[in-house]
Amino acid sequence: MSRRRTLGTKKKVALLVSAAAVAGGGAFAMASTSNAAQSPQTAAESTVCQGLATALGNNQRFIEGQRSAPDAQSAARIANREAVIAQIKVQQEASGCVVGESAQGSQAAGGQPSQAASASASASASAPVSAPASAPASQAPPAGDAASGQQVCNGSTVTLSGEAGAPAASSNQFPAGTKLKVTNLDNNKSTTVEVTSVSGSCALLNNAAFEQVREPGKFLIRRALIEKVG
């Protein structure tokens, strides 16, 4: 009788261990499924993440430009933009995006050339040519030379710089003091702001200005009308 009770106890222990292992495996599977469901989204998967990635890329491009052609104020500008980048990364994490993902999608289509294109153009310009080609008569003037009331930055998307302060804009084509009217064609909201600093894109809005024209939950304006008004 004593032996039978001992065997019975061992069987019970074995059953309990097996049940615990099964339960633990189920919990692990549920945790893995939950973690997979909460994987960060990329810019290609989310409009919010794309807007933040574009803002990050614009600031990184601006810093690269300052480092390649520094002046007396470059160090201060770079420090400011590095702080902005840190804040954008916080927003990426809070929005469930891949932290540190960068894009540079706010570049005007057919507008300001990329650095690679600029280098290629410089190399071509230094090579001997037999006869210069004349520019088409219909070629549009640079955005900075546009007259007041003229549409500029054609094809550009608009995002935020991450900078605080009163509504303002930054630009790589317009000098400080220029006034730009930015209209979000998806909700017909517009804001008129003054360019106060340099950035890596044709027109970049700070946080306060972007809030005046944004759609809820979005950090990128795909269809924007930008006009020089002063």
Side-chain angles (χ1 to χ4, degrees):
M1 295 294 290
S2 175
R3 183 182 179 186
R4 289 182 181 178
R5 284 197 295 270
T6 302
L7 291 175
T9 301
K10 289 182 179 179
K11 289 182 180 179
K12 289 180 181 179
V13 171
L15 289 173
L16 288 171
V17 171
S18 299
V22 172
F28 177 80
M30 291 177 64
S32 300
T33 304
S34 176
N35 290 336
Q38 296 176 3
S39 297
Q41 291 184 305
T42 65
E45 298 170 328
S46 166
T47 302
V48 171
C49 297
Q50 184 179 32
L52 290 171
T54 301
L56 184 62
N58 286 336
N59 283 282
Q60 289 174 332
R61 183 170 56 193
F62 173 79
I63 290 175
E64 290 171 2
Q66 290 294 306
R67 286 174 174 164
S68 63
D71 58 30
Q73 301 298 321
S74 290
R77 295 192 192 109
I78 290 173
N80 174 265
R81 292 310 175 97
E82 287 176 339
V84 169
I85 287 174
Q87 182 58 37
I88 292 173
K89 289 180 178 179
V90 171
Q91 293 177 340
Q92 285 179 320
E93 183 175 10
S95 301
C97 306
V98 175
V99 177
E101 183 178 16
S102 172
Q104 297 183 0
S106 65
Q107 185 71 28
Q112 174 112 0
S114 65
Q115 292 181 354
S118 298
S120 176
S122 298
S124 299
S126 63
V129 291
S130 57
S134 58
S138 59
Q139 185 175 0
D145 296 335
S148 180
Q150 184 174 344
Q151 181 178 348
V152 295
C153 307
N154 295 344
S156 288
T157 56
V158 176
T159 187
L160 75 168
S161 66
E163 295 179 301
S170 55
S171 174
N172 63 359
Q173 297 191 30
F174 299 101
T178 303
K179 289 188 177 180
L180 300 175
K181 180 181 180 182
V182 179
T183 302
N184 184 345
L185 298 177
D186 289 326
N187 60 11
N188 293 320
K189 291 184 178 180
S190 63
T191 182
T192 299
V193 291
E194 183 175 321
V195 174
T196 59
S197 61
V198 180
S199 71
S201 58
C202 186
L204 194 64
L205 299 179
N206 70 355
N207 292 354
F210 194 80
E211 284 296 329
Q212 294 178 344
V213 294
R214 71 179 293 184
E215 293 181 90
K218 293 187 178 181
F219 292 90
L220 178 70
I221 301 174
R222 292 182 178 277
R223 299 198 312 128
L225 172 64
I226 306 172
E227 301 167 278
K228 179 181 177 182
V229 296

